Amino acid sequence: MEGRRYVCIGDHDFIPPTVASLLMERVVAMGRRLGGKPLFFGRGTIVMGYADRTVIAVYTTNDDRAMDVIAFGINRHAHLSGATAHLASVLSQNYGSLGVAKQRLTRVPPSVLDDAFVDHPCQHPLLGPCQLVPVTTAVRDDPSTVLPEWLAVEYEVALPEILWWSSHRKKETRLAIFLRDSKAEHAQLLVDPSVVSETWEGMVAASAAAPADAHPP
């Protein structure tokens, strides 16, 4: 399981309902392009099943202050990358002034739950006990080729269309233009390791304890 929470930075800001509805609509469309189907619809929530048995969930918190994008399955990183690209596009095109911070959302292992010296984690309605860690994101200077191919195509579908009069840009991908031209707060919403580098507290320890995981096929 791999997840990201996007939480409003401003004390009085909230996730507009149209952001949730647009993102859910886009995640469903992405799933259908890949042979998947919706498994659950709810208030600000959708669970989408994919043909490769990956599952994507989008959830808006009850106070409308944050939105979660969660992926399960062997190809979870690639599907999470596609879904967050759509979120970055929705926010940059329609709500450019809304600032959101990114956090890594993970389930809490039983060993931590049993430790009386660890602060009680948040209770997630879809996942149970979870923990949130702030994520620092930097766009890579030389983004590598996006794999798998369907994800590269999804970026072309998700990100803003290249203006017709920008003929010199037509040789560039939408992703390349988005990374160069978008505000930093929008590019940092992406999670694809081929285009951004993410770091968070405890990352080295977690990577050492986890089995090797190649870039998603």
Side-chain angles (χ1 to χ4, degrees):
M1 172 250 163
E2 190 69 25
R4 296 293 182 274
R5 170 165 288 189
Y6 298 91
V7 59
C8 293
I9 296 174
D11 292 339
H12 303 291
D13 288 341
F14 62 92
I15 302 294
T18 48
V19 170
S21 60
L22 283 171
L23 180 59
M24 291 191 295
E25 178 183 317
R26 286 178 172 224
V27 169
V28 170
M30 182 176 75
R32 294 195 187 282
R33 284 191 289 272
L34 297 172
K37 61 181 180 179
L39 302 177
F40 174 80
F41 280 105
R43 183 264 181 197
T45 306
I46 187 174
V47 179
M48 188 76 189
Y50 291 76
D52 61 2
R53 296 189 177 183
T54 301
V55 174
I56 285 280
V58 174
Y59 169 74
T60 306
T61 57
N62 289 335
D63 60 2
D64 293 325
R65 290 273 301 159
M67 174 174 283
D68 300 336
V69 184
I70 310 159
F72 306 83
I74 190 171
N75 292 322
R76 60 190 179 278
H77 294 96
H79 289 285
L80 183 67
S81 297
T84 54
H86 283 286
L87 175 60
S89 179
V90 169
L91 289 176
S92 66
Q93 289 183 281
N94 303 287
Y95 298 94
S97 62
L98 178 64
V100 295
K102 182 169 61 173
Q103 300 173 331
R104 185 169 185 252
L105 175 66
T106 57
R107 281 176 170 159
V108 176
S111 58
V112 175
L113 288 175
D114 295 336
D115 191 338
F117 295 97
V118 175
D119 291 337
H120 188 72
C122 70
Q123 189 71 22
H124 197 282
L126 299 180
L127 305 172
C130 289
Q131 56 190 5
L132 293 163
V133 181
V135 176
T136 301
T137 308
V139 177
R140 296 189 182 278
D141 293 331
D142 53 344
S144 58
T145 301
V146 174
L147 293 174
E149 287 187 12
W150 72 259
L151 180 56
V153 173
E154 200 62 38
Y155 280 121
E156 295 300 295
V157 174
L159 297 176
E161 185 176 0
I162 301 171
L163 297 177
W164 65 270
W165 47 263
S166 302
S167 57
H168 66 286
R169 292 183 165 192
K170 290 183 179 179
K171 296 180 181 179
E172 296 183 285
T173 64
R174 293 187 185 185
L175 175 61
I177 294 174
F178 182 79
L179 294 177
R180 186 180 67 244
D181 295 355
S182 72
K183 296 179 181 179
E185 61 265 29
H186 297 136
Q188 66 91 24
L189 303 180
L190 302 175
V191 302
D192 187 350
S194 65
V195 297
V196 298
S197 174
E198 293 186 314
T199 55
W200 56 82
E201 184 180 353
M203 182 177 182
V204 175
S207 299
D213 185 15
H215 195 286

